[in-house]
Amino acid sequence: MTLLAVTGLGKRFAGLQAVDGVSFAVEPGEIYAVIGPNGAGKTTLLNLVTGIYAPSAGRVVLAGEDVTGLRPPDLAARGLSRTFQNLQIFSNLSAVENVMVGAHLRAETGFFAALFRWRGFEGKERALRAEAAELMRRLGIGELADAPAAAMPYGALKRLEIARALASRPRLLLLDEPAAGLNPSEARELVDVVRGIAASGVTIVLVEHNMPLVMAVSSRILVLHHGQKIAEGAPEAIRADREVIKAYLGVGRHTGVRELQDA
Amino acid sequence: MASARSGGTLALAGVLLVLPLILPNRYFLDVAILVCFNAVVCVGLNLLIGYAGQISLGHAGFFGLGAYASAILSGTYSWPPLAAMLAGALAVALLALVVGRPILRLKGHYLAMATLGLGIIISIVLTTEDRITGGPDGMSVPPLDVLGWTLSGEENWYWLAAGLLLLVVVLALNLIASPIGRAFRAIGSAELGAEVMGIRSARYKLMAFVISAVLAALAGSLAAHYAGFVTPGKVGFFHSIELVTMVVFGGMASTFGAVVGAAVLTVLPQLLTVFKEYEIIVFGLVLMGTMVFMPRGLVPTLAGLVGRRAG
Ligand SMILES: Nc1ncnc2c1ncn2[C@@H]1O[C@H](COP(=O)(O)OP(=O)(O)OP(=O)(O)O)[C@@H](O)[C@H]1O
Ligand SMILES: [Mg+2]
């Protein structure tokens, strides 16, 4: 069954149609990329799918259930998780605690159990912490487990957000520009990270400007331009698509057509 | 983390144990009791302000409701003081629940204004309902009497207040180190991220609000019995500001900071009795100075300095 089906999704901000009638479907096990020039509406699309914005048009169906307009915690409970382009790190928690928050829905305890550390509370916390530390190791930041999140370098924070999202054991993980701000070698490592996550059974929606990464991992690519879907298809087809090349030529440097072609 | 927590608790227990031995006279013991009551309020308020990141400028109102509930129910209506205290705490919990739901949707300045308004309304009601509350003159409160045994004398009151403070600190630390506390802190630093991780932020903000209100009410009840008298003075806007200043000065998101802040800013005005009139100015200066020179507050700043020196 299709995991995520989006139909006619639209979002209007005062005077600006940020997302305009976008439809697509993501099948289980896919790595589905969303690309497009700056301001194309990629982040807004993720915000609509994850319940941060209510859409002004269209529907979002997750595993057969209409989830349009549900709030983020409701979607988290249904197996959705994501990372943020402009990090949403819990800066007053340690790194490993950030990841533990990712497991919040499994970790929730009764008020009095927390207050008096009753009924296997300690054991549960220890197991949770160990699991979070293991996730950090998987993402190559294991040595930073006890660091205050506020003191971590940018590249590590990007990985921390991925670990935190994985801690919720999502069915569908949406990554908003995981490679942005990383140095080239860190960005290359991301290829294996993303593939590894997909291999563990998590379906991925990847928003990204880094074309080598997109071309290396995606099964299909959706191209947005001015909030509209202008192309969808396999990486090779997208690379050769006239509309796509035109859209990227129009915006020039930042995500140039060269990157698209060279990747 | 765990060791720092138990170390801090042990240190606090040590200080509380030794204090009555080294304090020169009853007057100081009296101040120490007030410190403990204020610290109980501040530890609760810190859950809301420091950890969950939500301001309240109305907590003196909850303190006052606890105090007046005890005064009226155990005085006028001759309830057993413990029952009066619990009824007061329960009523405050319900009020905080009902009022918190709409106002905690507000953010920043708007939330500050709404809680300010709440505190002012409570203060005005307590002042104007003079047939029940004695109005501006206040009313007397019977001694704290538990199952026929009456608590009296500064020493005994001190042990009660210190014991309560220690208990509240331990429970607060437990809560902070639990999924609930992590949810508070997550909301306090990145609410959107918290929501996406499945945290229903409205629910957790409300929880922090109610907990802090109930602790304020309990401290208010005890303070009323201890003083034997309540007046609207400790219910008003200025006392709310005092409480927030204690939390901010001691250190937001630091439970021991809240205790230290309450201690310093309860003792300071006592030392400056000559300046009694200017007390509000002193608090204003402390608040401004803290924001400018150590925005993280005293205890986190000192801990940071020590940590850096240690390596
Ligand atoms: N909350 C908002 N209010 C008003 N306008 C917004 C809001 N969020 C986004 N926009 C606008 O919507 C358009 C799409 O923005 P969006 O962030 O979705 O683009 P993007 O494709 O993610 O771009 P980038 O590659 O730079 O991250 C932009 O013009 C942006 O200015
Ligand atoms: Mg974006």
Side-chain angles (χ1 to χ4, degrees), chain A residues 39 41-44 85 176-177 207 209:
Chain A
K42 305 180 294 295
T43 297
T44 306
Q85 182 177 358
D176 197 353
E177 301 206 15
V207 168
H209 282 298

